[in-house]
Amino acid sequence: MKHKLLLPAILLCAGMPAWAQQSRSVTGQVLDAVTGEGLPGVTVLVKNTTVGASTDPDGRFLLSVPDGSEASLTVSSIGYLTQTITVGSQTDLKIKLAPDRKALDEVVVIGYGQVKKSDVTGAIVSVKEADLKKVPVANVMESLQGRLPGVDIVSAGGQAGAPVNITVRGNRSINASNGPLFVVDGVQYNSIQDINPNDIASMEVLKDAASTAIYGARGANGVIIVSTKKGAAGKTRVTLNSYYGITDRVYYPEVNNAAEFVAQKREANRTSGRWATIADDPKIFTATELEAIANGTSTNWADLLFRDGVQQEHQIGLSGGSEKTKFYLSGDYYNEQGLFRNDNLNRYSFRANLDQALNDKVSIGLQNQLTYYNQNTRRDPTNQANKINPLGTPYDADGKIINYPNNQAFINPLVDELPDNYTNNTRTTRTFSTAYISYQILPSLNLRSNLGLTLSNGRTGIYQGQYTLDRNGQVSQSSYGTQFDTNWSWENILNYNKTFGNHSLTATGVTSLLTFNTENSNAQGRNQLLAYQEFFALANANQQVGINSAYTDSKLISFTGRVQYGFKGKYLLTLTGREDLSSKLARGNKGSFFPSAAVAWRIIDEEFMKDITSVTDLKLRASYGRAGNYDVPAYSSQSLLSRIPYAFGETAAAGYTFANRIGNPELGWEISLTKNVGLDFGFLDNRVTGSVDVYDTKTSDLLLNRFLPLSSGVSFITQNIGKTRNRGVEVGLNARVVEREDFTWNVGLTWFKNKEEILELGTGTNDITNGLFIGSPVRVFYDYEKIGIWQTDEADAAKAFGQKPGQIKVKDLDGDGRITAANDRRVLGTAVPKWSGSISSDLSYKGFDLSFQVFARIGQMINYDYAQIFDPQGIENSSRQNYWTPENPSNDYPRPDAALSKSTLQNGLFGTTLGYRDGSYVKLRGVTLGYNLPASWLEKVAISSARVYVQGKNLVTLSEIDNYDPERGGAITTPIPRVISAGINLGF
């Protein structure tokens, strides 16, 4: 990050003309004395002159020095001890800078500015470029899973291009968004997935209200600031990064094979009295099924669907420039082929960053990101594959797919793979452009204006043939949808920074205008007779042709002020205030003020700490702030009309009714108040560093959907009702266990615990219909408590509850001898973990490096879909379960019963209780082994650096559930794949 934040030294500035004629060139490389890595952005000055240079990303520099042996260089960089080097007769220097363990002058990016790490007053986590590269991924947030205290990151699925779900310090809202705000190069942005990880120089995560308050309502759920790479003065630097990986399913449970299916169906019919011996098989199996049983046919439908996939990425970057003009260019291609056929993603991204100094006071710049997606999405076929009869065969004698194997009701799960039968294609182009002008009015006063534009143009086309999983024999259906988003932002930032004596003062003022505009349209038709036309010729569809379109627009206007004051560098104060006005809220409630205050005390700088040499850093922080949330659908304060089919006699006419949501003319802000206390520390010359934060967030006036009685004619209204609370503890530790010239070992630990709690709902009582319970987190599981299966010797007790041996036994919570929905259900668990943590290890020995990350999520409950694949009748296939029979008195699963439908088991005999599981897991997230080729080899081929590596991702998952990765949260759709890849990083 240093190469971004240091002002480059003046290169070959005005000196004496005579001296310029008596100079010689010197090259060199500045290295970290501990790791041996090149240091970018280091200032190298000829002592007692203004002539100097700034090192490139590899730490190299080129400089003109006076002839003779007296020339000396002053080498300095934030976070390192300054060195003075005598050049002598040398022409190629190797300079090793030792880290300054006590300086803590590393610069951290905050909202609309930057501060030294030692001056941070809020809860901020900084992520370096090296940490982002440890797990090559399409979405940079995946590589940070478990590494950021208080930030919960889980994969949303295993399909190609699957996003990740991110929450910072838990869920505050119930219906409004809980996702963090992303700020890229100072401008707010919507999709972090567009940003190529190789383009990122650093990231900061702002967590407490004092840190996020400067972003007002947009930062209520945390802020993630992304700084992309910039050019540096000197020779042009070229980098190439490429990897290729194979993916496979490693954790996916299997359903019954043919023998297990037959056994369960026989047992189900034995229970109902229809089957007693194998001689009764013709009563319950068709002739085709009997033939399959005799032939030993057993089809594993999931195996026919899954394949090994591919992940690959290839990126090239160029950076360089002069003292006035600096550039960074990159191009990236990412391809992922999912675990199913017809599930794939191609992403092309291009970035151009340009910074130009017009003179000593004025500079301008452009940051441009262009991303193009071409994605085919497969309708997940596993639901069908898991329930279809394994006695069936997928192909006929000619090798063609049979639409309905064994003439059963279930369509073949392979039908979507037939040519011209199924298409779901999305193409999206997103452009993110930022222009800025910066004017240094005075040495201590700067004005910067940022203008940002995000354009997103997307098209989704879907064609479903007659014999597809979605249509299942009905006529074909096509749809064509478009969406065009235009988001403008214009921000003006005035920064004043002054140090006088023991006092330092930074004042920031911001005006901000954000606009959000969306246009979309959709056309649909059925019975398109020519399948090869897919969704491109909807006019040829002759049934139910329909067209609709929509438009939404909203704006946010903000005014912000912040003052940062420091006394003697050890007593720090930050005050922030922001006024936001949102067009989404009702007239009279559009604006709200969000203040915050933070203080910090650098205890380590006190006189009484000087003799305690084992403690090398100690800072106490405290903050309190008010944040808001307005993130509900546009026009929620207004009642909208929807068109419905209508007729006068035989004549069609347009009819209108209120939309499902009725407007709330008093809709206002959701408000959160956060207290945070933190301690930053370092021991043993900062060989061990870390931080501990404790926070408490109370949110009131929730933007909550209140459901209305059917007699009202509408479904719900969004109101400011209800309260929630989030409390937690976050711990982050880093230890430099071994630190030698040729061997280093760093270990990082994180641990965080967050307790979500609903304090109040608008009804005054629990909202059972929507699963909301006072005193519990937002996402809970509310049901009967399964305590076993009724056994044979409990027949009389079971009968008293209207049941019999072999059926599910649940707990009679109120002890009244009856099981009722009102009195015998409770909150069984929550999808929120009790705590999460990680351990990461990074070792380097000479040219080799080895790293791994282990991530844990403990104390969460999931509703396991696999456990619900149980058909008591034996018509559909079932998951492999230890079900009850008179000979096998299990307490796990009920007895199959052909007289008992699946819906009756679920809704009348407590079948919903079968799926609840402890979803805790520990995952070996990634392991990487790399090797940096020796410089002596590379010099011969004009390469400055080269590293090759192999890596494994999602290698091992430990949990109480066999063959399943609980990160999926209970779903058994596309599993999260294991990835084995090899890559290379080159620098020229």
Side-chain angles (χ1 to χ4, degrees), residues 166-168 170-171 176-182 218-223 629 631:
I166 307 167
T167 56
V168 178
N171 297 288
S177 171
N178 283 292
L181 168 69
F182 290 95
R218 294 278 286 170
N221 299 311
V223 179
N629 195 343
D631 201 359

Side-chain angles (χ1 to χ4, degrees), residues 9-15 19 44-53 63:
I10 302 173
L11 178 61
L12 299 177
C13 285
W19 178 55
V44 184
L45 285 173
V46 179
K47 191 174 180 180
N48 299 323
T49 76
T50 58
V51 178
L63 189 63

